[in-house]
Amino acid sequence: MKKVAVILSGSGVFDGSELYETVISLLAIRRAGAHYECFAPDKDQLHVVNHLSGEVAEGEKRNVLVESARLARGEIKPVTECDPEAFDALIIPGGFGAAKNLCTFAVDGAESQPDEDVLNVCKAFAQSGKPAGYACIAPALAASVYGNKVKLTIGNDESTAQGLEELGAQHVECAVDEIVVDSDRKLVTTPAYMLAEDILEAEAGLNKMVETVLSMQ
């Protein structure tokens, strides 16, 4: 049975992992007969967003690992405990936490800096030739991990795509229910909720992403 490491970035689309993307990805992994284990950085979130009003909750602090545990039903470890040698593949769902807590793309754009612990794990997967899937805005992190004109997508948002290209990636426009594959790097990306207006639209691309990642040798 293949084992997949899943890195989360909190709980909630505006300041953490996108819930639907995460659940769909985990379900797709299990439906494919693979096993997953969840990880997250043990640090404070960039900020906390009130998901009812959409406004930043001033003065409130939450921990990325603790919040991610909500999605993982408590079965989660610090990303520093992720040993890439113990896994066959890596999946990173989107949600703005991927661009706020796993890297600084949401704030710094083309000057984005990845979280050091997350970068170490992601680079270890990349350097060992193990396949990975990054969804939604998570390719902002992938651009820093792979660089060197790696092919990836966030859909078709021009300003975001430009920022990724300035980080060294090659952006490819992609429909919501499709994927972009960089076969040389074994990287699979899909727009998910960068474009999706419905959970079914997001599901189609996410399922293809997970299935493609798991089919890679």
Side-chain angles (χ1 to χ4, degrees):
M1 179 184 289
K2 288 190 173 182
K3 293 182 64 178
V4 182
V6 179
I7 297 179
L8 302 179
S9 58
S11 179
V13 58
F14 299 128
D15 57 13
S17 291
E18 211 291 322
L19 275 68
Y20 295 170
E21 290 181 16
T22 302
V23 173
I24 290 168
S25 297
L26 298 180
L27 182 59
I29 291 168
R30 291 296 295 122
R31 276 183 172 159
H35 171 75
Y36 63 80
E37 190 167 342
C38 295
F39 300 89
D42 185 2
K43 66 177 187 179
D44 284 343
Q45 296 179 184
L46 172 67
H47 55 212
V48 177
V49 174
N50 179 325
H51 280 60
L52 184 60
S53 67
E55 298 176 353
V56 174
E58 297 294 344
E60 186 171 345
K61 290 186 177 182
R62 295 189 185 183
N63 178 278
V64 179
L65 178 61
V66 172
E67 291 301 296
S68 298
R70 294 175 179 270
L71 271 171
R73 295 175 60 85
E75 295 294 325
I76 193 167
K77 296 177 181 177
V79 73
T80 50
E81 295 183 20
C82 179
D83 177 9
E85 291 186 5
F87 295 92
D88 301 290
L90 171 68
I91 295 289
I92 304 184
F96 286 112
K100 293 178 177 179
N101 304 323
L102 304 187
C103 67
T104 64
F105 187 80
V107 176
D108 299 326
E111 302 298 320
S112 176
Q113 295 295 315
D115 176 275
E116 185 175 348
D117 293 331
V118 173
L119 179 65
N120 288 340
V121 171
C122 294
K123 277 206 164 184
F125 275 94
Q127 291 168 353
S128 62
K130 294 184 177 182
Y134 290 63
C136 190
I137 193 60
L141 172 62
S144 294
V145 172
Y146 294 87
N148 196 27
K149 296 297 180 183
V150 61
K151 291 193 297 184
L152 48 72
T153 191
I154 47 80
N156 57 20
D157 184 79
E158 289 186 11
S159 61
T160 306
Q162 182 179 349
L164 296 182
E165 294 202 335
E166 291 179 22
L167 282 168
Q170 177 186 346
H171 184 264
V172 181
E173 287 198 10
C174 180
V176 65
D177 57 350
E178 291 296 336
I179 59 175
V180 168
V181 180
D182 187 316
S183 298
D184 292 338
R185 277 84 166 196
K186 295 185 180 178
L187 174 68
V188 186
T189 53
T190 190
Y193 272 99
M194 287 296 289
L195 289 179
E197 296 181 359
D198 179 88
I199 192 170
L200 284 173
E201 289 185 350
E203 181 191 31
L206 290 164
N207 282 336
K208 287 180 182 178
M209 180 188 78
V210 171
E211 290 169 2
T212 303
V213 166
L214 292 176
S215 70
M216 290 177 166
Q217 301 299 321

